[in-house]
Amino acid sequence: MKETAIIYCENNFGKMDGKTANGLVRSSRKYQIQGVIDSTKVGMDTGELLSGEKNGIPVFASLDHALKNLPTTPAQFIYGIAPSEAFLKSDERNIVLRAMENGMNIVNTLHEFFTDDEEFVKHSKQFNVTITDVRKPPHKKDMHLFTGRILHIETPVITILGTDSAIGKRTTSVLLEEALNKKGIKTAFITTGQTGLIQGAKYGIAVDALPSQFITGEIENEIMKAHDTENPDIIIVEGQGALSHPAYISSNAIIRGSRPGAVIVQHAPKRKFLGDFNFMEMPTLKGEIELIEAYSKISKVIATTINHEDMTDKEVEEEIKQNETQLNLPSTDVLTHGCDKLIDSIFKSYPELKGKQKKVLVN
């Protein structure tokens, strides 16, 4: 059974820095989300905020407000903001402490590890709760260097990359995994960020918390673990940041470690500047595709996907047509149009997969 959880996302739900909360509300195999804390959207339905359709998960003004209105205290308190500075604000410490006092286990998504914080550790022991630092890496002795084993597998590997961070790469990855599985194509998903891990992905690691020397090896290791355990028909790897992004090296390492034969690129047409770096203009979709293919040498971009933030339905349709005409690649918005075009492009690149489709019973 899923554990109950509430997500803290003050002033950020539905926004770029609220991507962890946004993702958990959309999909979670691990937790039953009972509510989101964001006083700027109190009383609203989280599904309606994200997609226009109610999901019954409410937004609360505060932790106390949530505890007064929920039938039972959630088992988990999840910090659901992904700020660029990646550290806890001083006023948020009291909220975390208050959650512990109410018997809630803490799931921390920041680079600042709560298990290294003397006050938090003492409080957790006093109230008999656990602290999970999702981004805390393994000890170096337990990390993996690149071995080259991935060079010898025949299973297709597809990576979902993008033109910026927090642009929907994980969402597209998860939806594509679900769509392929529904067609009977056995799919393994490798997450590379904290949100995917909290959502319950079986394979993956938060790559931005790793020393650079180990990133490619850890990605390769997770892929090989899925390959050896599941014997999947296809492997999907979540991208991070963007290859062109000056602040991140994660995409470089993901390409090197996963060695994808095919890539799908996600873009937000209305985004003029990089999310947390408003002094840097967004790359063009065409330019990013060219960079990815030149850098990888073995990867081919087979489709593009759209993040429809600030776009009307008409603008989305026009963007899809424009991308398909100018780039000669299938294009879609998976949240509104589904994954059919992506699957068709995968079958075109890997025709052997089409014959592996099976009828799957849906309850």
Side-chain angles (χ1 to χ4, degrees), residues 179 183 332 337-345:
K183 286 186 174 290
T332 191
H337 291 64
C339 294
D340 287 349
K341 285 186 180 180
L342 302 186
I343 293 174
D344 288 343
S345 69

Side-chain angles (χ1 to χ4, degrees), residues 143-148 205 210-224 253 256-258:
M143 292 185 192
H144 301 83
L145 294 170
F146 187 78
T147 67
I205 193 162
L210 298 172
S212 59
Q213 183 180 7
F214 293 97
I215 300 177
T216 55
E218 283 296 312
I219 293 167
E220 179 195 41
N221 182 66
E222 290 300 315
I223 291 173
M224 294 310 303
R256 291 301 193 211
S258 66

Side-chain angles (χ1 to χ4, degrees), residues 26-47:
R26 284 194 174 106
S27 174
S28 180
R29 300 169 185 172
K30 193 172 183 178
Y31 299 112
Q32 178 188 335
I33 307 303
Q34 294 190 310
V36 171
I37 297 169
D38 183 346
S39 64
T40 65
K41 300 174 180 68
V42 61
M44 302 181 75
D45 181 276
T46 57

Side-chain angles (χ1 to χ4, degrees), residues 13 43-50 53-59:
F13 187 71
M44 302 181 75
D45 181 276
T46 57
E48 198 166 27
L49 282 164
L50 290 179
E53 295 183 6
K54 290 187 176 182
N55 61 10
I57 301 174
V59 182

Side-chain angles (χ1 to χ4, degrees), residues 122-141:
K122 183 179 178 181
H123 225 64
S124 69
K125 290 177 179 177
Q126 180 182 349
F127 293 96
N128 195 30
V129 297
T130 62
I131 299 175
T132 302
D133 288 320
V134 180
R135 272 180 159 137
K136 197 165 194 176
H139 295 295
K140 288 187 176 68
K141 66 180 179 62

Side-chain angles (χ1 to χ4, degrees), residues 232-246:
D233 298 320
I234 189 170
I235 296 170
I236 296 173
V237 182
E238 174 195 11
Q240 293 292 324
L243 185 58
S244 62
H245 203 302

Side-chain angles (χ1 to χ4, degrees), residues 324-339:
E324 293 186 333
T325 300
Q326 295 182 358
L327 301 173
N328 195 29
L329 290 169
S331 183
T332 191
D333 174 350
V334 297
L335 285 173
T336 58
H337 291 64
C339 294

